[in-house]
Amino acid sequence: ANFYLLQKSQAPIVNKYWKATEIMGLAVEMDEDIKEPHLLIRSNGQFSAGGGCNSMFGQITLDGKDRISFSNIAITEMACAFDNYDQELLEVFNNTQQYIMVDEKHMQLIVGKRAPLAKFEAVYF
């Protein structure tokens, strides 16, 4: 017992950089002006994200049964003269109720039994 440390296991989506591949049913298309839309979920209950122009951050709650909720979401207010996914990603976070791990590198954020609100791919662990 002196050599073991008991820790609560983390959800498979924590401490990974998730690159958005689809948001609100549309494939993410990268332009040279846009930053990569992404999501980073930290083990301390916080998240950060970007939709291509602005940064978002706030609190995240993970429950059993793959339940997830985003709260206290803040977003920077930079003016962007190019298309981005900021508003769509913000809508995803406001509506998401659950996540699905398709496999080790692919996650979807969903609400109910509808089509995925967003799809992500893990870039690194």
Side-chain angles (χ1 to χ4, degrees):
N2 293 334
F3 300 105
Y4 296 97
L5 177 63
L6 185 61
Q7 291 182 320
K8 186 176 180 182
S9 66
Q10 295 181 357
I13 63 173
V14 174
N15 292 331
K16 292 182 184 174
Y17 178 94
W18 294 98
K19 173 180 77 170
T21 58
E22 185 178 299
I23 300 174
M24 302 300 282
L26 299 173
V28 172
E29 296 182 18
M30 294 303 298
D31 190 358
E32 60 189 51
D33 294 328
I34 191 172
K35 298 176 200 169
E36 182 175 74
H38 67 279
L39 170 63
L40 178 61
I41 299 170
R42 295 183 180 84
S43 59
N44 65 357
Q46 297 183 357
F47 80 92
S48 60
C53 178
N54 286 287
S55 297
M56 299 170 218
F57 46 93
Q59 303 291 79
I60 193 161
T61 304
L62 296 169
D63 261 337
K65 304 288 184 191
D66 302 332
R67 309 281 291 155
I68 186 171
S69 62
F70 297 83
S71 61
N72 301 323
I73 302 171
I75 184 169
T76 58
E77 295 182 5
M78 296 177 14
C80 302
F82 52 86
D83 290 336
N84 59 70
Y85 298 92
D86 291 348
Q87 291 305 313
E88 292 86 354
L89 198 55
L90 187 59
E91 186 176 341
V92 166
F93 296 152
N94 283 324
N95 291 306
T96 294
Q97 295 176 345
Q98 194 171 2
Y99 69 91
I100 294 174
M101 292 298 299
V102 177
D103 57 34
E104 185 177 292
K105 289 188 68 173
H106 296 91
M107 171 187 66
Q108 299 177 359
L109 298 178
I110 62 170
V111 58
K113 296 189 185 286
R114 299 183 210 163
L117 297 172
K119 296 179 180 181
F120 294 87
E121 180 179 342
V123 175
Y124 63 82
F125 299 77

